[in-house]
Amino acid sequence: MSLFKCKPSAFLLAVPFAVAATAATANHPPQAAPGELPPGYSTTVTGTAQDFDYFMGSGWLTTQHRLKATGVGSKEWNTFSATLCATPYLGGTATVDELYMPSKGTAGLTLRIFDPAKRQWSIYWVNSKKGVLEMPPMLGGFHGKQGEFYNEDHDAQGRPVKVRFIWTLRDHEHARWEQAFSYDNRTWETNWTADFVRGDRAKLCEEGRPRR
Protein backbone atom coordinates (compact mmCIF):
# COMPACT_ATOMS: atom_id res chain seq x y z
CA MET A 1 0.00 0.00 0.00
CA SER A 2 1.99 3.15 -0.46
CA LEU A 3 0.03 2.11 -0.42
CA PHE A 4 -2.69 3.99 2.25
CA LYS A 5 -3.61 6.08 5.40
CA CYS A 6 -6.45 4.75 7.54
CA LYS A 7 -8.22 8.03 7.97
CA PRO A 8 -7.52 8.29 4.81
CA SER A 9 -5.33 7.40 4.64
CA ALA A 10 -1.03 5.79 0.60
CA PHE A 11 -0.29 2.68 -0.39
CA LEU A 12 2.31 0.79 1.37
CA LEU A 13 5.71 -5.57 5.38
CA ALA A 14 6.88 -7.66 9.38
CA VAL A 15 10.04 -6.88 11.10
CA PRO A 16 10.35 -6.92 14.82
CA PHE A 17 9.21 -3.63 16.17
CA ALA A 18 7.43 -2.70 19.35
CA VAL A 19 3.80 -1.71 19.06
CA ALA A 20 2.27 -0.67 22.35
CA ALA A 21 -1.50 -0.64 22.64
CA THR A 22 -3.00 2.79 23.02
CA ALA A 23 -4.71 3.22 26.37
CA ALA A 24 -7.91 5.03 25.57
CA THR A 25 -11.50 5.29 26.64
CA ALA A 26 -14.39 4.84 24.25
CA ASN A 27 -14.55 8.53 23.41
CA HIS A 28 -11.30 10.09 24.55
CA PRO A 29 -7.92 8.89 23.23
CA PRO A 30 -4.91 9.74 25.40
CA GLN A 31 -3.67 13.29 25.07
CA ALA A 32 -0.41 13.99 23.26
CA ALA A 33 2.45 14.82 25.58
CA PRO A 34 3.98 18.22 24.70
CA GLY A 35 7.55 17.98 23.47
CA GLU A 36 7.53 14.19 23.22
CA LEU A 37 7.73 12.04 20.11
CA PRO A 38 6.59 8.44 19.72
CA PRO A 39 9.29 5.74 19.40
CA GLY A 40 11.26 5.98 16.16
CA TYR A 41 9.38 9.00 14.83
CA SER A 42 11.42 11.02 12.32
CA THR A 43 10.60 12.93 9.14
CA THR A 44 14.26 12.80 8.04
CA VAL A 45 14.50 9.08 7.17
CA THR A 46 16.21 8.71 3.79
CA GLY A 47 16.35 6.07 1.05
CA THR A 48 17.24 5.60 -2.60
CA ALA A 49 15.46 6.02 -5.92
CA GLN A 50 15.38 2.21 -6.23
CA ASP A 51 13.43 1.61 -3.02
CA PHE A 52 10.16 0.70 -4.76
CA ASP A 53 11.63 -1.17 -7.74
CA TYR A 54 10.63 -4.34 -5.88
CA PHE A 55 6.96 -3.67 -6.63
CA MET A 56 7.30 -2.75 -10.29
CA GLY A 57 6.56 -5.17 -13.13
CA SER A 58 4.20 -7.41 -11.15
CA GLY A 59 0.63 -7.55 -10.01
CA TRP A 60 0.01 -8.20 -6.33
CA LEU A 61 -2.72 -10.03 -4.45
CA THR A 62 -3.22 -8.60 -0.99
CA THR A 63 -5.13 -9.34 2.19
CA GLN A 64 -6.02 -6.21 4.11
CA HIS A 65 -6.79 -5.94 7.84
CA ARG A 66 -8.20 -2.61 9.01
CA LEU A 67 -9.10 -1.68 12.59
CA LYS A 68 -12.78 -0.79 12.84
CA ALA A 69 -12.17 2.19 15.15
CA THR A 70 -8.91 3.98 15.97
CA GLY A 71 -7.80 5.61 19.19
CA VAL A 72 -10.43 3.91 21.36
CA GLY A 73 -8.73 0.62 22.21
CA SER A 74 -10.71 -1.38 19.63
CA LYS A 75 -9.68 -4.99 18.91
CA GLU A 76 -12.15 -5.54 16.07
CA TRP A 77 -10.82 -5.75 12.52
CA ASN A 78 -12.29 -5.74 9.02
CA THR A 79 -10.58 -8.15 6.62
CA PHE A 80 -10.86 -7.90 2.83
CA SER A 81 -8.94 -8.74 -0.35
CA ALA A 82 -7.56 -6.39 -2.97
CA THR A 83 -5.40 -6.27 -6.09
CA LEU A 84 -2.47 -3.91 -6.58
CA CYS A 85 -0.79 -2.86 -9.81
CA ALA A 86 2.24 -0.54 -9.80
CA THR A 87 3.82 1.49 -12.61
CA PRO A 88 7.07 3.51 -12.57
CA TYR A 89 7.46 6.94 -14.17
CA LEU A 90 10.33 9.39 -14.69
CA GLY A 91 12.90 6.62 -14.68
CA GLY A 92 11.54 5.22 -11.43
CA THR A 93 11.71 8.43 -9.39
CA ALA A 94 7.91 8.50 -9.40
CA THR A 95 5.61 5.51 -8.99
CA VAL A 96 1.85 5.06 -9.11
CA ASP A 97 -0.01 2.15 -7.48
CA GLU A 98 -3.69 1.46 -7.87
CA LEU A 99 -5.31 -0.70 -5.20
CA TYR A 100 -8.68 -2.18 -6.18
CA MET A 101 -10.92 -3.40 -3.33
CA PRO A 102 -13.89 -5.19 -4.97
CA SER A 103 -15.76 -5.99 -1.76
CA LYS A 104 -15.62 -2.30 -0.81
CA GLY A 105 -16.61 -1.07 -4.25
CA THR A 106 -13.70 1.36 -4.15
CA ALA A 107 -10.08 1.87 -5.16
CA GLY A 108 -7.12 3.87 -3.95
CA LEU A 109 -4.17 5.41 -5.72
CA THR A 110 -0.71 5.93 -4.24
CA LEU A 111 1.66 8.47 -5.75
CA ARG A 112 5.30 8.34 -4.61
CA ILE A 113 7.88 10.94 -5.60
CA PHE A 114 11.61 10.71 -4.84
CA ASP A 115 13.54 13.89 -4.02
CA PRO A 116 17.20 13.23 -4.98
CA ALA A 117 18.45 16.25 -3.04
CA LYS A 118 16.88 15.05 0.22
CA ARG A 119 17.18 11.34 -0.72
CA GLN A 120 13.62 10.92 0.48
CA TRP A 121 10.27 9.71 -0.76
CA SER A 122 6.99 11.60 -0.40
CA ILE A 123 3.93 9.34 -0.44
CA TYR A 124 0.45 10.63 -1.29
CA TRP A 125 -2.89 8.79 -1.24
CA VAL A 126 -6.16 9.32 -3.13
CA ASN A 127 -9.36 7.44 -2.33
CA SER A 128 -11.69 6.98 -5.31
CA LYS A 129 -14.75 7.96 -3.24
CA LYS A 130 -13.24 11.26 -2.09
CA GLY A 131 -11.13 12.19 -5.11
CA VAL A 132 -8.84 14.28 -2.90
CA LEU A 133 -5.04 14.12 -2.68
CA GLU A 134 -4.44 13.43 1.01
CA MET A 135 -1.99 15.82 2.66
CA PRO A 136 0.57 15.97 4.10
CA PRO A 137 2.60 13.20 2.43
CA MET A 138 4.39 10.47 4.35
CA LEU A 139 8.17 10.97 4.29
CA GLY A 140 10.95 8.38 4.43
CA GLY A 141 12.79 5.60 2.68
CA PHE A 142 14.18 2.08 2.90
CA HIS A 143 17.21 0.70 4.69
CA GLY A 144 17.71 -2.78 3.32
CA LYS A 145 14.41 -4.66 3.34
CA GLN A 146 12.62 -2.31 5.73
CA GLY A 147 11.03 1.02 4.86
CA GLU A 148 9.91 3.64 7.37
CA PHE A 149 7.76 6.68 6.65
CA TYR A 150 6.39 9.28 9.09
CA ASN A 151 4.44 12.51 9.34
CA GLU A 152 1.74 14.34 11.30
CA ASP A 153 -1.90 14.22 10.26
CA HIS A 154 -5.47 13.97 11.57
CA ASP A 155 -7.60 10.85 11.83
CA ALA A 156 -11.12 10.48 10.42
CA GLN A 157 -12.56 12.31 13.44
CA GLY A 158 -10.17 15.23 13.01
CA ARG A 159 -7.97 14.28 15.98
CA PRO A 160 -4.24 15.06 15.57
CA VAL A 161 -1.99 12.02 15.21
CA LYS A 162 1.55 11.06 14.34
CA VAL A 163 1.47 8.50 11.51
CA ARG A 164 3.90 5.69 10.71
CA PHE A 165 4.18 3.36 7.71
CA ILE A 166 6.37 0.26 7.99
CA TRP A 167 7.18 -1.75 4.86
CA THR A 168 8.91 -5.13 5.07
CA LEU A 169 10.15 -6.96 1.98
CA ARG A 170 10.04 -10.53 3.25
CA ASP A 171 11.32 -12.27 0.11
CA HIS A 172 10.90 -11.96 -3.65
CA GLU A 173 7.26 -13.06 -3.47
CA HIS A 174 5.98 -11.54 -0.23
CA ALA A 175 5.79 -8.12 1.39
CA ARG A 176 3.93 -6.47 4.25
CA TRP A 177 2.76 -2.93 4.97
CA GLU A 178 1.59 -1.57 8.31
CA GLN A 179 0.10 1.74 9.38
CA ALA A 180 0.07 3.02 12.95
CA PHE A 181 -1.15 6.18 14.71
CA SER A 182 0.16 7.78 17.88
CA TYR A 183 -2.31 9.91 19.78
CA ASP A 184 -0.18 10.44 22.89
CA ASN A 185 3.36 10.81 21.45
CA ARG A 186 4.38 7.76 23.50
CA THR A 187 2.77 4.69 21.96
CA TRP A 188 1.75 3.41 18.51
CA GLU A 189 -1.57 1.79 17.65
CA THR A 190 -1.40 -0.31 14.49
CA ASN A 191 -4.68 0.21 12.62
CA TRP A 192 -4.12 -1.17 9.12
CA THR A 193 -1.97 -4.00 7.75
CA ALA A 194 -1.63 -5.49 4.28
CA ASP A 195 0.09 -8.72 3.25
CA PHE A 196 1.15 -8.91 -0.40
CA VAL A 197 1.81 -11.94 -2.62
CA ARG A 198 3.34 -11.43 -6.07
CA GLY A 199 1.06 -12.55 -8.90
CA ASP A 200 0.88 -12.71 -12.68
CA ARG A 201 0.67 -9.12 -13.93
CA ALA A 202 -0.87 -10.24 -17.24
CA LYS A 203 -3.80 -11.78 -15.34
CA LEU A 204 -4.16 -9.20 -12.58
CA CYS A 205 -3.49 -5.94 -14.42
CA GLU A 206 -4.62 -4.24 -17.61
CA GLU A 207 -2.76 -1.18 -18.89
CA GLY A 208 -1.14 -0.84 -15.48
CA ARG A 209 -4.41 -0.94 -13.54
CA PRO A 210 -6.13 -3.81 -11.66
CA ARG A 211 -8.56 -5.73 -13.81
CA ARG A 212 -12.21 -5.22 -12.87
Side-chain angles (χ1 to χ4, degrees):
M1 143 256 125
S2 64
L3 300 174
F4 339 93
K5 270 191 220 169
C6 178
K7 132 198 176 178
S9 208
F11 171 161
L12 218 263
L13 323 191
V15 297
F17 67 96
V19 179
T22 301
T25 65
N27 298 310
H28 302 287
Q31 297 299 305
E36 288 194 55
L37 292 174
Y41 181 87
S42 173
T43 56
T44 62
V45 178
T46 60
T48 74
Q50 289 72 50
D51 283 345
F52 288 98
D53 288 358
Y54 174 93
F55 294 96
M56 302 301 116
S58 298
W60 295 85
L61 296 170
T62 172
T63 302
Q64 308 272 321
H65 303 279
R66 185 172 177 177
L67 199 63
K68 289 185 177 181
T70 64
V72 294
S74 174
K75 303 299 181 184
E76 296 185 66
W77 294 79
N78 284 316
T79 299
F80 54 96
S81 299
T83 303
L84 173 74
C85 298
T87 304
Y89 294 91
L90 304 177
T93 59
T95 71
V96 173
D97 300 343
E98 184 174 345
L99 182 74
Y100 175 51
M101 299 163 275
S103 66
K104 301 290 185 181
T106 187
L109 183 144
T110 299
L111 169 64
R112 305 186 193 91
I113 304 171
F114 184 73
D115 183 333
K118 293 182 178 179
R119 296 186 298 117
Q120 189 176 63
W121 288 90
S122 296
I123 301 178
Y124 302 86
W125 169 256
V126 181
N127 183 294
S128 64
K129 289 187 175 180
K130 291 184 178 180
V132 175
L133 190 67
E134 298 286 353
M135 296 289 286
M138 299 295 289
L139 304 173
F142 275 77
H143 291 268
K145 293 184 178 294
Q146 179 174 324
E148 296 185 33
F149 303 83
Y150 300 90
N151 216 330
E152 299 183 39
D153 208 336
H154 293 80
D155 71 2
Q157 286 71 48
R159 297 171 295 186
V161 292
K162 300 290 194 305
V163 185
R164 177 183 69 186
F165 291 172
I166 297 288
W167 276 101
T168 304
L169 310 184
R170 289 178 163 171
D171 55 40
H172 183 263
E173 305 296 328
H174 302 88
R176 182 176 175 85
W177 171 86
E178 303 183 16
Q179 176 181 270
F181 288 173
S182 179
Y183 289 90
D184 61 4
N185 287 342
R186 299 186 187 96
T187 60
W188 291 106
E189 177 187 66
T190 299
N191 54 53
W192 197 337
T193 70
D195 292 293
F196 294 87
V197 179
R198 192 183 299 271
D200 185 342
R201 187 177 178 90
K203 294 180 179 179
L204 298 177
C205 308
E206 184 176 12
E207 297 182 350
R209 302 178 57 228
R211 290 182 180 274
R212 283 358 187 215

